[in-house]
Amino acid sequence: MQRNTTEREATRKHAQRRPARRRWAAAGTAVAGAAACLALASVGHAAQDDPPAASHGDRPSPAPHSTWSSRDAAAYWTADRMAAAAPVGPERGTSDRAAAPATKAAPAARSAATARHFDGIPSVGVLFSVDGDTRAHHCTASVVHSPHGNLILTAGHCNPGTKAAFVPQYRSGADKQPYGVWAIEDSFAYPGRGTTGAGADLDFAFATVAPGEDGSPVEEVTGGNTLSPTPGYTNDVTVVGYPNVRHDPEDRAVRCATRTSRLSGTHELRMECGGFYGGTSGSPWLTDFDEESGTGRVIGLIGGLNGGGPKGPDNDRISYSPYFGEKLLNLYAKASQG
């Protein structure tokens, strides 16, 4: 795995300087302990070929691979291969949205807020895989605090697939990624997840990330956000994501500070900010965001109904999120054991 040791040391120093971040980490451990006591019915590992509507009860499906390491991921996902990859499958704003009933989608009213490009933060990155149609960075994921420091969070419809990798603070065209290339070992999602009906409320997933070449967990290198239940429908959040190059030729991270509200007729959240095109599914919604450490409390993500927003013109301007409650905490507790 490639790594910039200077930036890694800076990240460690940030962690040492930020007592609030240590408090968040303790809170995250407490959440995991409480969630572990809850029932884990219908939770299973999500393999790439799981039908989204299938139900396997408590029985996990096979892991997508068993010998894929972060060294392998870094060797496979070279700068040339990343640049040559092109998404050709369903994504936020295309077929998933077209299949959803328009009556439940909020009107695509134009918002004054627009996301701005920036250099990204270490705890948020992109997912690359070569399975099926997803041959480029097709979704966004974020590192969440966990007991083993190896957990990332994304949308449930973002199946990692084969030769999957997580690239934190992705830099398009870079010969060396600033925080390396990390192999995805296993994924955890509800079999009933989807982008319509009740399945849209389960459109979240976790994945475990293989250690780096020196044995370090990803959270030690990038820092991690604290997973928190959604406190209500109205929240001030910072949203960070990576539109893919098909929609955004700059191929850079975007961010937006905005306020959430309830998506009418659903148990989901919505936010208004332009620039969140295909590729931003899984983008974390962060409260208490700390600019110095680049972390916060994640209370939502782009996903849910229609894959995370309305269909039609200007669908990049409105995004949705599942409500984080007991189901999410159950899944986190299961994934944290890996």
Side-chain angles (χ1 to χ4, degrees):
M1 187 201 72
Q2 303 167 335
R3 181 177 301 122
N4 184 313
T5 55
T6 300
E7 292 193 75
R8 173 180 168 182
E9 184 61 27
T11 301
R12 284 176 167 167
K13 289 180 180 178
H14 282 319
Q16 292 169 356
R17 289 201 302 265
R18 302 301 301 177
R21 180 168 160 191
R22 289 196 292 271
R23 287 198 296 272
W24 292 344
T29 303
V31 167
C37 297
L38 301 174
L40 289 173
S42 301
V43 175
H45 299 294
Q48 171 68 13
D49 57 356
D50 281 349
S55 176
H56 301 292
D58 292 313
R59 178 174 58 83
S61 55
H65 39 66
S66 58
T67 59
W68 179 243
S69 70
S70 290
R71 183 188 294 270
D72 296 329
Y76 182 86
W77 285 109
T78 62
D80 288 343
R81 186 164 271 143
M82 288 180 183
V88 295
E91 57 185 69
R92 181 186 194 277
T94 55
S95 63
D96 280 344
R97 291 194 179 185
T103 55
K104 295 188 73 176
R110 180 167 291 275
S111 164
T114 300
R116 64 178 177 84
H117 290 99
F118 78 125
D119 288 337
I121 54 178
S123 66
V124 179
V126 301
L127 296 178
F128 276 93
S129 71
V130 297
D131 224 29
D133 293 333
T134 52
R135 301 179 185 277
H137 70 85
H138 58 290
C139 281
T140 300
S142 59
V143 180
V144 293
H145 174 71
S146 62
H148 300 296
N150 65 342
L151 214 58
I152 60 174
L153 170 70
T154 189
H157 66 270
C158 295
N159 293 327
T162 301
K163 289 189 170 67
F166 172 63
V167 185
Q169 201 169 358
Y170 168 68
R171 300 287 176 84
S172 178
D175 291 333
K176 185 176 182 180
Q177 293 298 323
Y179 289 89
V181 178
W182 301 75
I184 293 177
E185 292 183 313
D186 207 352
S187 56
F188 300 79
Y190 282 99
R193 70 196 181 281
T195 56
T196 60
D201 292 339
L202 301 175
D203 191 23
F204 42 73
F206 296 94
T208 52
V209 175
E213 293 179 22
D214 63 356
S216 299
V218 65
E219 185 181 343
E220 182 180 314
V221 176
T222 64
N225 301 298
T226 301
L227 185 69
S228 298
T230 306
Y233 290 107
T234 304
N235 309 278
D236 291 321
V237 296
T238 297
V239 183
V240 178
Y242 283 84
N244 63 46
V245 70
R246 174 195 290 175
H247 302 291
D248 186 353
E250 285 202 33
D251 200 18
R252 296 176 64 203
V254 297
R255 66 179 289 177
C256 185
T258 186
R259 177 166 291 186
T260 68
S261 60
R262 184 170 187 169
L263 175 58
S264 178
T266 74
H267 189 54
E268 296 187 12
L269 286 74
R270 72 190 294 273
M271 67 93 169
E272 296 188 24
C273 187
F276 287 92
Y277 297 98
T280 60
S281 288
S283 298
W285 296 19
L286 302 169
T287 63
D288 299 328
F289 180 71
D290 184 273
E291 294 286 350
E292 186 176 5
S293 68
T295 61
R297 293 189 301 114
V298 56
I299 63 166
L301 55 76
I302 292 182
L305 183 66
N306 306 344
K311 60 182 180 179
D314 296 325
N315 60 11
D316 66 293
R317 308 198 68 83
I318 298 178
S319 300
Y320 304 153
S321 170
Y323 199 97
F324 285 6
E326 181 178 314
K327 289 285 190 179
L328 179 99
L329 298 182
N330 289 346
L331 190 62
Y332 172 79
K334 182 71 173 178
S336 293
Q337 297 171 12

